[in-house]
Amino acid sequence: QVSYSHAIHASGFFIAFFVSFIFTCAVFFIIYRTQILKQSLHNENQEVQHELSQNHKLEHSQFHSGDLFSEDIIMNDQIIDILSFEESGNMLQALEDLEVASLTRADADMEAYRMKICKEVIAMMMRNMVLSHSLFPHVEKRMSSIFKKQFLTMEKEIQDEYERKMVALTAECNLETRKKMEAQHQKARNANEEAEELMKKMNEKPAVEYRSLLERLHRLEQDHLKRFLLVKQEEYFAKAYRQLAVTQRKELHNIFFTQITNATFKGELNLEAAKTLVEDYSKIQGDIEELMDFLQANKKYHLNRRFAYRNYLISKIQLRDSQASALINAAAIQISSLINKMERAGHLPGSHLGVLLDRAEAEINSVKQKFDHDLKQEKQKLRRKLITKRRQEMLQKKEHQKEQLSLGDPFKTMKEITLYLSHWKNLLSDHAIEFEELIEKLDNEASEDLKELLCSVTEKAVEELKRVQCGVFVQELVRLNVPKGFLLEAVEGHKKEMIVKHEQLEREERDKSLAAEELLQLTRQKLSQELETSMTEQKKLRRWEQSVFMQLLSLPLSLSEEELLRTRQELHCCFSQVDSSLAWPKIRARTLLQDFEVERRDTELLKVDQNLAMTNKQQHCKVKRTGSRNRNKIDILKKSLQDKIFIYEDSVKDENLNKVS
């Protein structure tokens, strides 16, 4: 009796543990890409709602598999837009958004593979029962037909539930977005009305400065609110997807065990054969879970490696952009420097200085505008060329991989299921390596093409500035009786300065590129170590899981065959959820980081408002004259706005990330 009691407590402990554990494992997520919107409230809401709708369409293939290959290819086009057109300061944020989208897409792929493998394994097991004479062929045919119908029904029900959840969540999120955006706009309108009253009492220049600061603050407030709402909604949808994925996995197990029970009850499957089938199913499910653990860990490694390399490419592009700006600015400064030098030397009358400097500024701005325009136009042309080439090569690779997948169909008819799972493992591993090598090659080629383009357009801009200096201003200065010899000497000095500047920038590029390459190698080594560690830990978890499974089944409990079967079924439903995740850690980290940042920002903003209230109170007591009081008030308000702008622009640094982990 004591032994029996301990067995009950042990089984209760293990089952309770798993029930509590599995609810902490969230896997599936929503693709989203944050955009900075600058339109009216109505358009802002429409934009956010449209974005969420697009996210749902992409995620649709988790439960209704579409053309995963073409989605992969289209998503990979986005890196070209990031490298080509994203502002330098926004590149890493855009890359992180693309990384979440790619991780989410990968999770959807893994779920599709899981369902495909599980259904094919069940079909193989049934055929093996016929080969071992444990099941009549006509019974196997009938049961296989039932399995197919029920799998289709399950998928349709999951899809219907998915659509219901998406409609409800979208409506809820849109309502929340509309309310918060309306509140934000009302706050901005109130602030603007108060500012208008205040600006009526002040001079034009302070009023313009104050209005500019206020508009800047309102834009920052709106941008941060949109980001906050989208990240929160990302987490909502991720949880909903996980629930549906778990439901689908559990339902697949339920279908299998229900059919075995029915076949046994009808006498189509004898008891011993049913026991053998269920035991084989348990063992094979363990093998499938190990296979999925490997595939997910392997996919995570390759995706992390991909984005580490893209991070490296972005650092190189940012360096090139800053160097291009440095070269153009150096050439531009020489023009005004030449004019000032002539004036200081006494060769240029002061009455001409201002006119020439204004003309120089206009010429320089014209060259810079042409540089920006030409660079944008050339990048558009290059983008089309890169994406065409990229899609061709990726489609070719994907089509080849699809052919290899179809060649694996004969494995479905083999008796040894272990070989079938091994085939999937080797094939998908090889495909991942081949595809990542291709993506890295294409990313690098795009980066090099963009480098050549930037160098070419920059060189033309620098040459144009030299022409302006020598062909316009040197001639104008000569016309104003500045000694030609003195001018040519100054121009030669400028040429030498540009050569020195070029050499300095080349050395800087070599040094920083070398440091970036070393960091990339260290990152790759770390990723390899993390892969080994995660695989080891997951294998330990699976071994412990199997140990618990066997101990529970071997306990001397007075269970009927039906109860024992139901126990196996529940355990499989639990164990199928103890899987690793790709996108969820990133999504959760973004949410926690944002919560931390919002809390920090609200605290700092409250301090600014309290200081403003205290200062206003003190100034009201001290200053008696109306004019002085207005001037002091606007200065205080401007300082308050500047402090708030700084708080919004001061994002959470890397050293604070541990606080939100």
Side-chain angles (χ1 to χ4, degrees), residues 383-394:
R383 177 189 181 275
R384 289 192 289 269
K385 176 184 171 184
L386 289 173
I387 286 183
T388 299
K389 178 185 176 184
R390 191 179 189 90
R391 288 187 178 182
Q392 286 175 346
E393 294 197 32
M394 291 177 72

Side-chain angles (χ1 to χ4, degrees), residues 21-34:
F21 180 78
I22 60 176
F23 279 104
T24 65
C25 304
V27 182
F28 295 103
F29 335 85
I30 144 182
I31 297 174
Y32 106 90
R33 169 83 168 87
T34 303

Side-chain angles (χ1 to χ4, degrees), residues 56-71:
H56 305 161
K57 289 178 183 177
L58 288 174
E59 281 299 333
H60 178 271
S61 57
Q62 284 191 11
F63 306 109
H64 181 71
S65 182
D67 190 346
L68 304 183
F69 292 150
S70 61
E71 283 186 18

Side-chain angles (χ1 to χ4, degrees), residues 218-329:
H218 290 164
R219 284 196 300 271
L220 285 169
E221 288 174 339
Q222 290 173 19
D223 291 342
H224 280 77
L225 177 59
K226 291 165 199 164
R227 183 78 184 177
F228 172 83
L229 291 170
L230 286 171
V231 171
K232 279 294 183 185
Q233 290 170 21
E234 179 183 51
E235 187 177 26
Y236 296 157
F237 285 107
K239 290 178 180 177
Y241 291 131
R242 175 60 178 180
Q243 291 172 358
L244 290 172
V246 167
T247 299
Q248 183 170 245
R249 295 182 191 183
K250 291 170 68 175
E251 188 58 28
L252 188 139
H253 290 306
N254 292 343
I255 289 172
F256 174 80
F257 282 99
T258 299
Q259 285 306 306
I260 298 304
T261 301
N262 291 343
T264 305
F265 179 77
K266 293 177 181 178
E268 296 174 337
L269 192 65
N270 64 58
L271 193 57
E272 288 302 316
K275 285 183 179 179
T276 302
L277 187 60
V278 168
E279 288 172 0
D280 290 345
Y281 181 80
S282 295
K283 179 184 180 303
I284 291 165
Q285 283 302 311
D287 295 339
I288 291 174
E289 294 300 337
E290 287 185 10
L291 170 62
M292 295 311 302
D293 289 341
F294 170 81
L295 292 177
Q296 286 183 313
N298 191 53
K299 189 67 175 179
K300 180 181 179 181
Y301 165 76
H302 284 297
L303 284 174
N304 286 342
R305 184 184 171 95
R306 179 197 300 182
F307 282 93
Y309 186 71
R310 287 176 171 178
N311 212 325
Y312 161 73
L313 292 180
I314 283 177
S315 69
K316 291 176 68 175
I317 286 175
Q318 290 173 331
L319 176 60
R320 293 170 198 156
D321 287 343
S322 66
Q323 289 182 332
S325 296
L327 276 176
I328 292 173
N329 289 335

Side-chain angles (χ1 to χ4, degrees), residues 515-540:
E517 287 172 10
E518 290 176 355
L519 178 61
L520 177 64
Q521 292 304 319
L522 289 173
T523 302
R524 286 177 166 176
Q525 292 174 10
K526 182 181 177 183
L527 291 175
S528 297
Q529 293 170 357
E530 288 177 353
L531 173 63
E532 293 179 7
T533 302
S534 66
M535 286 297 297
T536 301
E537 291 176 351
Q538 190 67 9
K539 284 179 180 178
K540 287 181 180 177

Side-chain angles (χ1 to χ4, degrees), residues 16-267:
F17 171 82
F18 275 107
V19 169
S20 62
F21 180 78
I22 60 176
F23 279 104
T24 65
C25 304
V27 182
F28 295 103
F29 335 85
I30 144 182
I31 297 174
Y32 106 90
R33 169 83 168 87
T34 303
Q35 298 179 350
I36 303 300
L37 308 176
K38 298 180 179 179
Q39 301 178 357
S40 66
L41 174 60
H42 176 70
N43 288 335
E44 285 169 343
N45 287 336
Q46 281 191 331
E47 188 80 20
V48 173
Q49 292 168 17
H50 175 70
E51 186 174 340
L52 290 171
S53 175
Q54 292 303 311
N55 292 342
H56 305 161
K57 289 178 183 177
L58 288 174
E59 281 299 333
H60 178 271
S61 57
Q62 284 191 11
F63 306 109
H64 181 71
S65 182
D67 190 346
L68 304 183
F69 292 150
S70 61
E71 283 186 18
D72 248 354
I73 291 168
I74 293 170
M75 187 182 296
N76 271 291
D77 291 345
Q78 293 178 28
I79 188 62
I80 302 298
D81 292 331
I82 293 172
L83 298 179
S84 302
F85 301 110
E86 197 69 55
E87 291 183 11
S88 184
N90 296 333
M91 278 186 168
L92 292 179
Q93 180 64 68
L95 185 66
E96 184 183 273
D97 291 339
L98 178 57
E99 182 180 6
V100 170
S102 299
L103 290 167
T104 304
R105 176 72 264 158
D107 272 317
D109 293 345
M110 291 297 106
E111 190 65 18
Y113 287 134
R114 172 189 285 272
M115 289 297 111
K116 178 179 174 64
I117 290 170
C118 286
K119 289 188 289 186
E120 289 180 356
V121 161
I122 290 174
M124 293 171 69
M125 290 176 62
M126 300 304 296
R127 287 194 294 270
N128 287 345
M129 291 292 288
V130 175
L131 294 176
S132 65
H133 305 292
S134 301
L135 192 66
F136 291 113
H138 72 277
V139 176
E140 182 271 333
K141 185 176 181 181
R142 190 185 70 80
M143 290 183 68
S144 295
S145 177
I146 292 174
F147 276 130
K148 288 180 182 178
K149 289 178 181 178
Q150 292 194 336
F151 290 153
L152 285 173
T153 301
M154 172 192 72
E155 290 167 1
K156 185 179 183 304
E157 289 175 350
I158 291 291
Q159 181 60 32
D160 290 343
E161 179 62 20
Y162 162 84
E163 291 173 356
R164 284 193 294 271
K165 278 181 177 288
M166 294 308 101
V167 169
L169 271 176
T170 300
E172 182 181 340
C173 290
N174 287 344
L175 179 61
E176 180 184 17
T177 299
R178 186 164 58 253
K179 285 182 177 179
K180 289 187 178 293
M181 292 302 293
E182 285 174 353
Q184 179 63 44
H185 277 270
Q186 184 60 48
K187 177 183 174 183
R189 281 193 294 270
N190 293 340
N192 286 332
E193 290 172 3
E194 184 179 337
E196 288 294 334
E197 289 298 320
L198 185 62
M199 285 186 287
K200 291 177 182 177
K201 305 172 185 177
M202 67 178 72
N203 295 329
E204 183 178 352
K205 185 178 178 181
V208 170
E209 292 175 353
Y210 181 75
R211 189 193 301 275
S212 175
L213 288 172
L214 192 61
E215 289 176 353
R216 185 177 170 190
L217 177 61
H218 290 164
R219 284 196 300 271
L220 285 169
E221 288 174 339
Q222 290 173 19
D223 291 342
H224 280 77
L225 177 59
K226 291 165 199 164
R227 183 78 184 177
F228 172 83
L229 291 170
L230 286 171
V231 171
K232 279 294 183 185
Q233 290 170 21
E234 179 183 51
E235 187 177 26
Y236 296 157
F237 285 107
K239 290 178 180 177
Y241 291 131
R242 175 60 178 180
Q243 291 172 358
L244 290 172
V246 167
T247 299
Q248 183 170 245
R249 295 182 191 183
K250 291 170 68 175
E251 188 58 28
L252 188 139
H253 290 306
N254 292 343
I255 289 172
F256 174 80
F257 282 99
T258 299
Q259 285 306 306
I260 298 304
T261 301
N262 291 343
T264 305
F265 179 77
K266 293 177 181 178

